Amino acid sequence: MTRTTMPTALVVEDEVLLAIEIEALLDEAGFEPVGHALKSGDAIKLARELKPDFALVDVHLLDGPTGVDVARRLALELGILVVFMTGNARRVPTDFAGAYGLIEKPYTDSGLLAALRHIQARLSGERTGEPPPALELAPRYDPRRAKAGSQSRHAAE
């Protein structure tokens, strides 16, 4: 983890009020929200400056459906744990573009909090067990899929 004992989080979401709501839930779950971005370029710039431990990324941002590219760069180039948070789950590639998982909108506060607590445990090296129902893990992180040899449910859609 970075600057504090709390993991830091960046929100990449083009709806400002939703981003503010998510930041409040991140705080409640024990994260330190370090900012939010509305566009892909701003997200990459902020991530490079702030070096968050974690990022929640929407698929469709102000500059179009660029969230997948943002997630890929944050995860693969900057080593940030990324989770998609989107109402456009079909746009998430079957390999999740390097992201850890997916939370579908609309979400409930309790579902999001459970997912955030799972993510926080993962970041701190604790055993996470099964993910909560609101969090779909990427195939490479989901041992149930590896054992069954199944693909993401998005692959068939």
Side-chain angles (χ1 to χ4, degrees):
M1 289 185 245
T2 57
R3 294 166 288 284
T4 66
T5 57
M6 293 172 58
T8 55
L10 175 66
V11 177
V12 182
E13 167 62 60
D14 64 343
E15 294 181 42
V16 176
L17 292 177
L18 182 56
I20 292 168
E21 177 185 314
I22 292 167
E23 286 178 327
L25 290 168
L26 282 162
D27 186 57
E28 186 176 335
F31 286 85
E32 178 185 347
V34 293
H36 67 266
L38 308 174
K39 296 189 237 177
S40 59
D42 296 339
I44 301 301
K45 181 179 176 189
L46 275 175
R48 285 194 172 126
E49 289 174 10
L50 302 173
K51 297 177 178 38
D53 300 301
F54 168 64
L56 277 171
V57 178
D58 191 5
V59 170
H60 198 278
L61 303 173
L62 280 182
D63 50 358
T66 56
V68 171
D69 294 329
V70 169
R72 185 174 283 114
R73 290 185 69 189
L74 295 181
L76 303 177
E77 292 177 23
L78 302 175
I80 297 169
L81 185 80
V82 175
V83 170
F84 285 107
M85 182 176 223
T86 183
N88 298 311
R90 291 179 185 200
R91 291 187 181 226
V92 174
T94 57
D95 68 352
F96 281 51
Y100 177 67
L102 166 72
I103 299 168
E104 287 194 64
K105 294 177 189 173
Y107 60 86
T108 63
D109 287 358
S110 62
L112 179 55
L113 282 169
L116 292 172
R117 289 185 178 118
H118 174 93
I119 293 160
Q120 185 183 52
R122 176 169 173 77
L123 285 169
S124 63
E126 298 172 24
R127 292 183 61 125
T128 57
E130 293 287 321
L135 177 63
E136 179 183 344
L137 297 183
R140 72 182 193 159
Y141 295 108
D142 191 344
R144 295 169 299 177
R145 288 193 194 156
K147 289 177 187 173
S150 65
Q151 295 182 345
S152 169
R153 62 185 168 84
H154 303 295
E157 294 179 359

